[in-house]
Amino acid sequence: METFDLVIRGATIATAAEVFKADIGVRGGRVAALADHLPDGERTIDATGLLALPGGVDSHCHLDQPTGDGTVMADDFLTGTRAAAFGGTTTVIPFACQQKGRSLRDAVDDYHRRAAGKPVVDYAFHLIVSDPTPTVRGQELPALIRDGYTSFKIYMTYDDLKLSDREILEVLDVARSEGAMVMMHAENADCIAWLTDKLERAGQTAPFFHGLSRPPVVEREATHRAIALSELADVPILIVHVSGAEAVEQIRWAQGRGLRLYAETCPQYLFLTADDLGGPHGPPGFEGAKCVCSPPPRDAANQRVIWDALENGVFQVFSSDHAPFRYDDPQGKKVRGEAASFRHVPNGIPGIETRLPLLFSEGVVRGRITLPRFVELTAAGPARMYGLHPRKGTIAVGADADIVLWDPERRVTITNADLHHNVDYTPYEGMAVTGWPVVTLSRGVVVCDHGRLLAPAGHGEFLRCASPDLARPKGVRPPAPAF
Ligand code: URP
Ligand code: ZN
Ligand code: ZN
């Protein structure tokens, strides 16, 4: 028998389907055998007492994304993927963002240049479609989807990105004919603009008021409209970064009607609340800017609804929405060095390294979700959603050997000094967690080993995605035929 390049011995393996004990044999970067008592490989890792989980797939993160407003993302493809790897993630899918008036293909070419030679883990691109001209809809987008960029995000808010309902329908039509997945940022732009103007006129400009400018109804209305547009265009969509009960209610309603409606949530909606933005119970001064993201964090009751929805199948994907801006930086949260009105504070918070440990500790260790459900939400689900499964998101013969060894008992107090991103803070400073990834392998190569980075910049390969591999959301009846 040909020898293995690597054998991982003694770990408890978890996939989205089961938990079992076996040795893992790796050859040529792929899992070649799962069996008891495999012979030693060229290298053998004793993983007794550890869990072997599929490397995480972070299907919503922003790295080195041009912003066009003078702010600069703190993480590029090296620092962002390095932090991802230390946090147990072996595939990232950031966004090639079209600027209005520019070509989508140019945005993709530019994004490849930004990535070149840097990632330490594998990566694919989503697109952001901000200007769906006839050329974009008729030529660029279909060609890109066929080239392996099979998902794109569209925005219902932000002046430089938002699409009208008519434009949304036009691009949904392209997704339907080409087999792409559409990610929707669901917040009502006019409601936000109206509330922001009112708050500013009243002198209410501190970061705390960011939350009041985007209350749950703003997200609920847009979520409902996104669902209606998806139903009309007869194409599945995924609602990203769902923050609380009102949006969940809309999604559950749509899923109950048999619509192919998928949803994602993120750590900030489980672990942060509006108090983290400031106000009487929050941090002083401008500090709340560290937690300004959209939709904003809500409250404890909404957190409970998000936990329930993670457990019971409303969500298919748990991503970081890592959008890294430094706090004490004129190109970051303190725009031009000032504590500006919340209107000008760049939206987004870091979380690519802490995504998995937070969910593992508060979800799996606390008994809220099972280990297979953890794997489904953080690896298998996003891999399926974006056409990377079964190469990514599972431990199975033939899959890439993207394997993370977790010490399920290791206790860690999260502190920014120990993280590997290029941001000068973490919103989760001081949180104590149980369980941490100790060894991260990408295609059989050890990328991180007990705090040491071992893979070179550029180890990560670009992934072309297939069309989404979709089952109906759990418990969802197919719709009655229309005719
Ligand atoms: O506030 C957020 N979420 N910023 C990142 C961009 C986005 O809308 O996901
Ligand atoms: Zn968004
Ligand atoms: Zn985002």
Side-chain angles (χ1 to χ4, degrees), residues 60 62 95 153 241 321:
H60 185 161
H62 304 266
F95 297 83
K153 183 173 177 189
H241 45 48
D321 194 7

Side-chain angles (χ1 to χ4, degrees), residues 60 62 153 155 158 185 240-241 268-269 292-295 321 323 347-349:
H60 185 161
H62 304 266
K153 183 173 177 189
Y155 284 80
Y158 296 128
H185 181 128
V240 292
H241 45 48
Q268 46 270 41
Y269 307 116
V292 164
C293 60
S294 294
D321 194 7
N347 284 199
I349 64 174

Side-chain angles (χ1 to χ4, degrees), residues 44 56 65 67 70 97 112 130 136 143 151 172 174 210 220 227 235 256 299 321-322 343 354 374 407 421 458 471:
T44 298
Q65 186 179 312
T67 59
C97 181
H112 275 295
S130 69
V136 167
S151 47
L172 289 180
V174 180
H210 171 77
R220 187 229 299 157
I227 292 166
V235 66
D299 62 12
D321 194 7
H322 180 78
R343 180 201 287 274
T354 44
F374 174 83
D407 179 346
H421 59 194

Side-chain angles (χ1 to χ4, degrees), residues 281-471:
H281 309 292
F286 192 63
E287 287 272 312
K290 292 177 177 173
C291 294
V292 164
C293 60
S294 294
R298 307 293 185 192
D299 62 12
N302 279 286
Q303 289 177 339
R304 281 193 290 279
V305 171
I306 297 289
W307 274 115
D308 286 349
L310 276 173
E311 228 176 283
N312 64 26
V314 172
F315 291 116
Q316 291 70 43
V317 175
F318 184 77
S319 303
S320 69
D321 194 7
H322 180 78
F325 295 98
R326 293 172 67 82
Y327 174 67
D328 218 344
D329 190 324
Q331 293 181 317
K333 295 281 184 181
K334 287 191 181 164
V335 187
R336 285 182 284 281
E338 282 169 23
S341 165
F342 71 82
R343 180 201 287 274
H344 302 295
V345 174
N347 284 199
I349 64 174
I352 204 164
E353 189 167 352
T354 44
R355 170 182 76 121
L356 296 178
L358 284 168
L359 187 67
F360 184 91
S361 181
E362 290 301 304
V364 179
V365 176
R366 288 262 208 143
R368 287 170 162 135
I369 57 172
T370 63
L371 205 43
R373 183 90 187 114
F374 174 83
V375 173
E376 177 66 31
L377 286 163
T378 60
R384 266 193 276 274
M385 198 63 65
Y386 301 114
L388 292 171
H389 196 269
R391 178 172 174 192
K392 304 294 187 187
T394 190
I395 297 178
V397 172
D400 280 358
D402 290 3
I403 297 166
V404 178
L405 302 179
W406 284 71
D407 179 346
E409 285 169 10
R410 181 154 169 212
R411 298 171 76 85
V412 173
T413 299
I414 294 173
T415 180
N416 199 54
D418 293 341
L419 298 179
H420 299 83
H421 59 194
N422 192 33
V423 186
D424 55 356
Y425 74 96
T426 168
Y428 310 108
E429 186 72 36
M431 273 193 65
V433 295
T434 302
W436 199 268
V438 289
V439 177
T440 300
L441 294 126
S442 158
R443 286 178 278 105
V445 171
V446 179
V447 177
C448 305
D449 189 356
H450 292 87
R452 287 175 311 142
L453 180 69
L454 299 182
H459 163 78
E461 287 181 357
F462 178 69
L463 304 164
R464 290 183 195 280
C465 298
S467 284
D469 168 11
L470 298 175

Side-chain angles (χ1 to χ4, degrees), residues 3-47:
T3 54
F4 296 109
D5 304 333
L6 169 72
V7 169
I8 300 170
R9 204 182 282 302
T12 299
I13 301 167
T15 67
E18 56 183 338
V19 179
F20 58 101
K21 274 204 162 254
D23 296 341
I24 307 172
V26 175
R27 198 180 295 122
R30 296 190 173 199
V31 176
L34 290 168
D36 292 336
H37 312 302
L38 288 177
D40 276 351
E42 305 269 317
R43 177 175 181 191
T44 298
I45 298 176
D46 178 5

